[in-house]
Amino acid sequence: MARKIDIIDGRSALDAVRDADAAGAKPQRTDLATAVRYLLQLLDEKAPGNSVEVRVPPFGAVQVIQGPRHTRGTPPNVVEMDAATWIAVATGTEVWTDAAAGGRIHASGTRADLSDVLPVRP
């Protein structure tokens, strides 16, 4: 199991990403990676399970939501997006349906709508 990200480290990385975005600068890769992984960790804590795989390449992926367990090959329920979109929907600065309608979320499968479990409230 991956090392758990401390709440202080996670919030600090998230603040650094937000500050960089507000200044029109590119966030540090380490801050972006930590913020993404921290929010994935919070999602896993809020909606544990193995029926949906949430991917935010290249930083991380997590399996969440109760339901049938997936063990081999491509999972039937996959959600994938870039880091900026993930941070926006996970923190509530953007609504899931808006990001999905805008084509920034690629979701497949009957359980691939995460609007009921987002935002995660870091």
Side-chain angles (χ1 to χ4, degrees):
M1 172 127 183
R3 178 181 69 91
K4 189 168 179 164
I5 297 170
D6 179 77
I7 189 170
I8 294 168
D9 294 339
R11 286 181 174 174
S12 171
L14 202 48
D15 287 344
V17 169
R18 287 179 177 149
D19 291 347
D21 286 344
K26 187 175 179 181
Q28 293 290 322
R29 184 174 170 85
T30 53
D31 290 332
L32 194 57
T34 300
V36 165
R37 291 177 185 135
Y38 175 64
L39 292 169
L40 286 171
Q41 174 181 299
L42 293 180
L43 177 63
D44 184 41
E45 291 169 2
K46 183 176 184 178
N50 296 100
S51 69
V52 180
E53 185 165 296
V54 180
R55 300 173 182 168
V56 186
F59 302 114
V62 66
Q63 289 189 359
V64 294
I65 313 291
Q66 289 293 328
R69 181 176 180 84
H70 168 75
T71 55
R72 295 182 355 163
T74 302
N77 300 288
V78 176
V79 175
E80 188 168 319
M81 67 197 90
D82 64 29
T85 303
W86 169 240
I87 290 170
V89 297
T91 59
T93 58
E94 184 167 12
V95 179
W96 171 271
T97 51
D98 293 345
R104 293 187 324 282
I105 296 174
H106 304 285
S108 63
T110 57
R111 298 170 163 264
D113 181 344
L114 301 180
S115 56
D116 289 343
V117 294
L118 294 176
V120 292
R121 299 285 179 231

mmCIF file of all heavy atoms in Angstrom, residues 26-60:
data_model
loop_
_atom_site.group_PDB
_atom_site.id
_atom_site.type_symbol
_atom_site.label_atom_id
_atom_site.label_comp_id
_atom_site.label_asym_id
_atom_site.label_seq_id
_atom_site.Cartn_x
_atom_site.Cartn_y
_atom_site.Cartn_z
ATOM 1 N N LYS A 26 2.844 28.087 -13.614
ATOM 2 C CA LYS A 26 2.703 26.632 -13.635
ATOM 3 C C LYS A 26 3.103 26.097 -12.256
ATOM 4 O O LYS A 26 4.167 26.450 -11.748
ATOM 5 C CB LYS A 26 3.615 26.055 -14.722
ATOM 6 C CG LYS A 26 3.443 24.581 -14.956
ATOM 7 C CD LYS A 26 4.293 24.135 -16.138
ATOM 8 C CE LYS A 26 4.140 22.653 -16.358
ATOM 9 N NZ LYS A 26 4.964 22.192 -17.477
ATOM 10 N N PRO A 27 2.258 25.269 -11.637
ATOM 11 C CA PRO A 27 2.613 24.744 -10.309
ATOM 12 C C PRO A 27 3.831 23.821 -10.389
ATOM 13 O O PRO A 27 4.089 23.208 -11.426
ATOM 14 C CB PRO A 27 1.379 23.967 -9.861
ATOM 15 C CG PRO A 27 0.433 23.946 -10.995
ATOM 16 C CD PRO A 27 0.961 24.808 -12.092
ATOM 17 N N GLN A 28 4.557 23.734 -9.283
ATOM 18 C CA GLN A 28 5.668 22.791 -9.206
ATOM 19 C C GLN A 28 5.120 21.375 -9.370
ATOM 20 O O GLN A 28 4.075 21.044 -8.810
ATOM 21 C CB GLN A 28 6.382 22.904 -7.844
ATOM 22 C CG GLN A 28 7.097 24.204 -7.631
ATOM 23 C CD GLN A 28 8.328 24.320 -8.510
ATOM 24 O OE1 GLN A 28 9.049 23.346 -8.734
ATOM 25 N NE2 GLN A 28 8.546 25.510 -9.040
ATOM 26 N N ARG A 29 5.845 20.546 -10.112
ATOM 27 C CA ARG A 29 5.388 19.171 -10.369
ATOM 28 C C ARG A 29 5.195 18.389 -9.066
ATOM 29 O O ARG A 29 4.232 17.639 -8.927
ATOM 30 C CB ARG A 29 6.370 18.461 -11.295
ATOM 31 C CG ARG A 29 5.914 17.072 -11.674
ATOM 32 C CD ARG A 29 6.844 16.454 -12.716
ATOM 33 N NE ARG A 29 6.556 15.051 -12.922
ATOM 34 C CZ ARG A 29 5.625 14.585 -13.749
ATOM 35 N NH1 ARG A 29 4.901 15.422 -14.445
ATOM 36 N NH2 ARG A 29 5.421 13.291 -13.872
ATOM 37 N N THR A 30 6.080 18.568 -8.099
ATOM 38 C CA THR A 30 5.948 17.824 -6.834
ATOM 39 C C THR A 30 4.686 18.255 -6.082
ATOM 40 O O THR A 30 4.012 17.420 -5.488
ATOM 41 C CB THR A 30 7.191 18.007 -5.939
ATOM 42 O OG1 THR A 30 7.437 19.403 -5.769
ATOM 43 C CG2 THR A 30 8.419 17.334 -6.545
ATOM 44 N N ASP A 31 4.382 19.567 -6.106
ATOM 45 C CA ASP A 31 3.155 20.045 -5.456
ATOM 46 C C ASP A 31 1.926 19.482 -6.162
ATOM 47 O O ASP A 31 0.970 19.049 -5.514
ATOM 48 C CB ASP A 31 3.080 21.579 -5.472
ATOM 49 C CG ASP A 31 4.103 22.225 -4.552
ATOM 50 O OD1 ASP A 31 4.485 21.596 -3.555
ATOM 51 O OD2 ASP A 31 4.501 23.363 -4.843
ATOM 52 N N LEU A 32 1.953 19.500 -7.486
ATOM 53 C CA LEU A 32 0.826 18.991 -8.270
ATOM 54 C C LEU A 32 0.612 17.504 -7.991
ATOM 55 O O LEU A 32 -0.507 17.059 -7.744
ATOM 56 C CB LEU A 32 1.086 19.240 -9.758
ATOM 57 C CG LEU A 32 -0.094 19.081 -10.705
ATOM 58 C CD1 LEU A 32 -1.249 19.991 -10.322
ATOM 59 C CD2 LEU A 32 0.362 19.380 -12.131
ATOM 60 N N ALA A 33 1.689 16.742 -7.991
ATOM 61 C CA ALA A 33 1.602 15.299 -7.739
ATOM 62 C C ALA A 33 1.044 15.021 -6.344
ATOM 63 O O ALA A 33 0.156 14.178 -6.172
ATOM 64 C CB ALA A 33 2.977 14.644 -7.901
ATOM 65 N N THR A 34 1.546 15.733 -5.348
ATOM 66 C CA THR A 34 1.080 15.520 -3.974
ATOM 67 C C THR A 34 -0.382 15.914 -3.827
ATOM 68 O O THR A 34 -1.166 15.198 -3.197
ATOM 69 C CB THR A 34 1.957 16.295 -2.971
ATOM 70 O OG1 THR A 34 3.306 15.830 -3.098
ATOM 71 C CG2 THR A 34 1.473 16.096 -1.538
ATOM 72 N N ALA A 35 -0.779 17.049 -4.425
ATOM 73 C CA ALA A 35 -2.175 17.494 -4.343
ATOM 74 C C ALA A 35 -3.111 16.476 -4.988
ATOM 75 O O ALA A 35 -4.151 16.130 -4.421
ATOM 76 C CB ALA A 35 -2.329 18.858 -5.008
ATOM 77 N N VAL A 36 -2.746 15.981 -6.161
ATOM 78 C CA VAL A 36 -3.573 14.984 -6.860
ATOM 79 C C VAL A 36 -3.695 13.720 -6.016
ATOM 80 O O VAL A 36 -4.797 13.199 -5.799
ATOM 81 C CB VAL A 36 -2.988 14.659 -8.249
ATOM 82 C CG1 VAL A 36 -3.593 13.380 -8.822
ATOM 83 C CG2 VAL A 36 -3.205 15.823 -9.199
ATOM 84 N N ARG A 37 -2.584 13.216 -5.528
ATOM 85 C CA ARG A 37 -2.601 11.969 -4.747
ATOM 86 C C ARG A 37 -3.350 12.139 -3.428
ATOM 87 O O ARG A 37 -4.051 11.228 -2.979
ATOM 88 C CB ARG A 37 -1.169 11.492 -4.510
ATOM 89 C CG ARG A 37 -0.512 11.018 -5.789
ATOM 90 C CD ARG A 37 0.929 10.601 -5.582
ATOM 91 N NE ARG A 37 1.528 10.272 -6.859
ATOM 92 C CZ ARG A 37 2.731 10.671 -7.246
ATOM 93 N NH1 ARG A 37 3.487 11.402 -6.440
ATOM 94 N NH2 ARG A 37 3.193 10.334 -8.427
ATOM 95 N N TYR A 38 -3.219 13.312 -2.824
ATOM 96 C CA TYR A 38 -3.935 13.585 -1.576
ATOM 97 C C TYR A 38 -5.446 13.562 -1.814
ATOM 98 O O TYR A 38 -6.198 12.938 -1.059
ATOM 99 C CB TYR A 38 -3.484 14.938 -1.021
ATOM 100 C CG TYR A 38 -4.250 15.389 0.199
ATOM 101 C CD1 TYR A 38 -4.194 14.675 1.392
ATOM 102 C CD2 TYR A 38 -5.020 16.544 0.167
ATOM 103 C CE1 TYR A 38 -4.886 15.095 2.512
ATOM 104 C CE2 TYR A 38 -5.712 16.975 1.289
ATOM 105 C CZ TYR A 38 -5.649 16.237 2.459
ATOM 106 O OH TYR A 38 -6.342 16.656 3.570
ATOM 107 N N LEU A 39 -5.895 14.194 -2.881
ATOM 108 C CA LEU A 39 -7.333 14.209 -3.189
ATOM 109 C C LEU A 39 -7.831 12.822 -3.579
ATOM 110 O O LEU A 39 -8.966 12.453 -3.242
ATOM 111 C CB LEU A 39 -7.627 15.246 -4.274
ATOM 112 C CG LEU A 39 -7.421 16.700 -3.830
ATOM 113 C CD1 LEU A 39 -7.471 17.628 -5.031
ATOM 114 C CD2 LEU A 39 -8.438 17.107 -2.775
ATOM 115 N N LEU A 40 -7.018 12.031 -4.257
ATOM 116 C CA LEU A 40 -7.394 10.639 -4.560
ATOM 117 C C LEU A 40 -7.520 9.847 -3.258
ATOM 118 O O LEU A 40 -8.435 9.033 -3.098
ATOM 119 C CB LEU A 40 -6.374 9.983 -5.492
ATOM 120 C CG LEU A 40 -6.400 10.429 -6.947
ATOM 121 C CD1 LEU A 40 -5.193 9.862 -7.704
ATOM 122 C CD2 LEU A 40 -7.693 10.017 -7.642
ATOM 123 N N GLN A 41 -6.613 10.087 -2.337
ATOM 124 C CA GLN A 41 -6.653 9.429 -1.028
ATOM 125 C C GLN A 41 -7.939 9.784 -0.286
ATOM 126 O O GLN A 41 -8.601 8.908 0.292
ATOM 127 C CB GLN A 41 -5.423 9.880 -0.236
ATOM 128 C CG GLN A 41 -5.356 9.420 1.190
ATOM 129 C CD GLN A 41 -4.101 9.970 1.863
ATOM 130 O OE1 GLN A 41 -2.995 9.681 1.445
ATOM 131 N NE2 GLN A 41 -4.282 10.776 2.892
ATOM 132 N N LEU A 42 -8.326 11.061 -0.324
ATOM 133 C CA LEU A 42 -9.574 11.478 0.329
ATOM 134 C C LEU A 42 -10.790 10.828 -0.323
ATOM 135 O O LEU A 42 -11.737 10.436 0.369
ATOM 136 C CB LEU A 42 -9.710 13.004 0.292
ATOM 137 C CG LEU A 42 -8.707 13.804 1.118
ATOM 138 C CD1 LEU A 42 -8.969 15.293 0.974
ATOM 139 C CD2 LEU A 42 -8.729 13.397 2.584
ATOM 140 N N LEU A 43 -10.760 10.706 -1.652
ATOM 141 C CA LEU A 43 -11.856 10.034 -2.356
ATOM 142 C C LEU A 43 -11.947 8.576 -1.921
ATOM 143 O O LEU A 43 -13.029 8.061 -1.661
ATOM 144 C CB LEU A 43 -11.675 10.136 -3.869
ATOM 145 C CG LEU A 43 -12.732 9.409 -4.706
ATOM 146 C CD1 LEU A 43 -14.118 10.010 -4.480
ATOM 147 C CD2 LEU A 43 -12.364 9.453 -6.183
ATOM 148 N N ASP A 44 -10.804 7.919 -1.807
ATOM 149 C CA ASP A 44 -10.767 6.521 -1.378
ATOM 150 C C ASP A 44 -11.320 6.373 0.040
ATOM 151 O O ASP A 44 -12.025 5.417 0.340
ATOM 152 C CB ASP A 44 -9.330 5.996 -1.458
ATOM 153 C CG ASP A 44 -9.233 4.528 -1.111
ATOM 154 O OD1 ASP A 44 -10.113 3.743 -1.535
ATOM 155 O OD2 ASP A 44 -8.268 4.140 -0.425
ATOM 156 N N GLU A 45 -11.028 7.341 0.906
ATOM 157 C CA GLU A 45 -11.542 7.298 2.273
ATOM 158 C C GLU A 45 -13.052 7.542 2.307
ATOM 159 O O GLU A 45 -13.772 6.945 3.098
ATOM 160 C CB GLU A 45 -10.832 8.346 3.140
ATOM 161 C CG GLU A 45 -9.378 8.012 3.401
ATOM 162 C CD GLU A 45 -8.596 9.176 4.022
ATOM 163 O OE1 GLU A 45 -9.197 10.245 4.299
ATOM 164 O OE2 GLU A 45 -7.380 9.009 4.210
ATOM 165 N N LYS A 46 -13.536 8.413 1.429
ATOM 166 C CA LYS A 46 -14.954 8.777 1.410
ATOM 167 C C LYS A 46 -15.819 7.713 0.738
ATOM 168 O O LYS A 46 -16.948 7.473 1.149
ATOM 169 C CB LYS A 46 -15.124 10.113 0.676
ATOM 170 C CG LYS A 46 -16.549 10.627 0.650
ATOM 171 C CD LYS A 46 -16.617 11.993 0.006
ATOM 172 C CE LYS A 46 -18.025 12.558 0.061
ATOM 173 N NZ LYS A 46 -18.093 13.907 -0.522
ATOM 174 N N ALA A 47 -15.290 7.099 -0.312
ATOM 175 C CA ALA A 47 -16.072 6.129 -1.095
ATOM 176 C C ALA A 47 -15.248 4.873 -1.367
ATOM 177 O O ALA A 47 -14.913 4.565 -2.511
ATOM 178 C CB ALA A 47 -16.518 6.770 -2.411
ATOM 179 N N PRO A 48 -14.904 4.120 -0.336
ATOM 180 C CA PRO A 48 -14.062 2.934 -0.539
ATOM 181 C C PRO A 48 -14.772 1.878 -1.375
ATOM 182 O O PRO A 48 -15.996 1.789 -1.356
ATOM 183 C CB PRO A 48 -13.798 2.434 0.882
ATOM 184 C CG PRO A 48 -14.934 2.948 1.698
ATOM 185 C CD PRO A 48 -15.327 4.259 1.057
ATOM 186 N N GLY A 49 -13.991 1.108 -2.086
ATOM 187 C CA GLY A 49 -14.534 0.032 -2.906
ATOM 188 C C GLY A 49 -13.593 -0.285 -4.050
ATOM 189 O O GLY A 49 -12.461 0.198 -4.090
ATOM 190 N N ASN A 50 -14.078 -1.107 -4.970
ATOM 191 C CA ASN A 50 -13.238 -1.546 -6.077
ATOM 192 C C ASN A 50 -13.954 -1.556 -7.411
ATOM 193 O O ASN A 50 -13.511 -2.216 -8.340
ATOM 194 C CB ASN A 50 -12.713 -2.963 -5.807
ATOM 195 C CG ASN A 50 -11.816 -3.016 -4.608
ATOM 196 O OD1 ASN A 50 -12.231 -3.402 -3.523
ATOM 197 N ND2 ASN A 50 -10.577 -2.603 -4.795
ATOM 198 N N SER A 51 -15.073 -0.860 -7.542
ATOM 199 C CA SER A 51 -15.828 -0.985 -8.786
ATOM 200 C C SER A 51 -15.529 0.095 -9.820
ATOM 201 O O SER A 51 -15.888 -0.061 -10.979
ATOM 202 C CB SER A 51 -17.334 -1.040 -8.502
ATOM 203 O OG SER A 51 -17.788 0.210 -8.034
ATOM 204 N N VAL A 52 -14.882 1.196 -9.413
ATOM 205 C CA VAL A 52 -14.558 2.279 -10.346
ATOM 206 C C VAL A 52 -13.088 2.639 -10.183
ATOM 207 O O VAL A 52 -12.626 2.853 -9.059
ATOM 208 C CB VAL A 52 -15.416 3.538 -10.078
ATOM 209 C CG1 VAL A 52 -15.054 4.651 -11.059
ATOM 210 C CG2 VAL A 52 -16.897 3.219 -10.168
ATOM 211 N N GLU A 53 -12.370 2.707 -11.295
ATOM 212 C CA GLU A 53 -10.979 3.144 -11.244
ATOM 213 C C GLU A 53 -10.909 4.596 -11.687
ATOM 214 O O GLU A 53 -11.350 4.933 -12.785
ATOM 215 C CB GLU A 53 -10.096 2.274 -12.128
ATOM 216 C CG GLU A 53 -8.620 2.632 -11.991
ATOM 217 C CD GLU A 53 -7.713 1.579 -12.560
ATOM 218 O OE1 GLU A 53 -7.709 0.447 -12.017
ATOM 219 O OE2 GLU A 53 -7.019 1.880 -13.550
ATOM 220 N N VAL A 54 -10.371 5.451 -10.821
ATOM 221 C CA VAL A 54 -10.202 6.871 -11.126
ATOM 222 C C VAL A 54 -8.722 7.083 -11.420
ATOM 223 O O VAL A 54 -7.869 6.809 -10.574
ATOM 224 C CB VAL A 54 -10.650 7.764 -9.951
ATOM 225 C CG1 VAL A 54 -10.459 9.235 -10.294
ATOM 226 C CG2 VAL A 54 -12.103 7.473 -9.592
ATOM 227 N N ARG A 55 -8.441 7.583 -12.633
ATOM 228 C CA ARG A 55 -7.053 7.773 -13.072
ATOM 229 C C ARG A 55 -6.783 9.253 -13.330
ATOM 230 O O ARG A 55 -7.557 9.922 -13.997
ATOM 231 C CB ARG A 55 -6.804 7.019 -14.372
ATOM 232 C CG ARG A 55 -7.025 5.534 -14.284
ATOM 233 C CD ARG A 55 -6.909 4.904 -15.648
ATOM 234 N NE ARG A 55 -7.155 3.468 -15.606
ATOM 235 C CZ ARG A 55 -7.340 2.722 -16.684
ATOM 236 N NH1 ARG A 55 -7.325 3.264 -17.888
ATOM 237 N NH2 ARG A 55 -7.551 1.425 -16.555
ATOM 238 N N VAL A 56 -5.654 9.715 -12.807
ATOM 239 C CA VAL A 56 -5.191 11.071 -13.066
ATOM 240 C C VAL A 56 -3.723 10.963 -13.483
ATOM 241 O O VAL A 56 -2.818 11.133 -12.673
ATOM 242 C CB VAL A 56 -5.345 11.982 -11.819
ATOM 243 C CG1 VAL A 56 -4.985 13.426 -12.166
ATOM 244 C CG2 VAL A 56 -6.762 11.907 -11.264
ATOM 245 N N PRO A 57 -3.514 10.612 -14.767
ATOM 246 C CA PRO A 57 -2.138 10.392 -15.216
ATOM 247 C C PRO A 57 -1.348 11.699 -15.275
ATOM 248 O O PRO A 57 -1.940 12.737 -15.558
ATOM 249 C CB PRO A 57 -2.307 9.792 -16.610
ATOM 250 C CG PRO A 57 -3.722 9.972 -17.001
ATOM 251 C CD PRO A 57 -4.502 10.367 -15.784
ATOM 252 N N PRO A 58 -0.066 11.667 -15.004
ATOM 253 C CA PRO A 58 0.741 10.505 -14.627
ATOM 254 C C PRO A 58 0.875 10.333 -13.122
ATOM 255 O O PRO A 58 1.737 9.605 -12.654
ATOM 256 C CB PRO A 58 2.105 10.855 -15.233
ATOM 257 C CG PRO A 58 2.198 12.337 -15.018
ATOM 258 C CD PRO A 58 0.777 12.849 -15.206
ATOM 259 N N PHE A 59 0.005 11.002 -12.352
ATOM 260 C CA PHE A 59 0.230 11.086 -10.914
ATOM 261 C C PHE A 59 -0.367 9.982 -10.065
ATOM 262 O O PHE A 59 0.158 9.666 -9.012
ATOM 263 C CB PHE A 59 -0.251 12.444 -10.398
ATOM 264 C CG PHE A 59 0.432 13.589 -11.073
ATOM 265 C CD1 PHE A 59 -0.278 14.451 -11.880
ATOM 266 C CD2 PHE A 59 1.786 13.793 -10.917
ATOM 267 C CE1 PHE A 59 0.350 15.510 -12.520
ATOM 268 C CE2 PHE A 59 2.435 14.842 -11.548
ATOM 269 C CZ PHE A 59 1.709 15.706 -12.351
ATOM 270 N N GLY A 60 -1.490 9.412 -10.463
ATOM 271 C CA GLY A 60 -2.068 8.394 -9.606
ATOM 272 C C GLY A 60 -3.371 7.822 -10.112
ATOM 273 O O GLY A 60 -3.969 8.326 -11.064
#
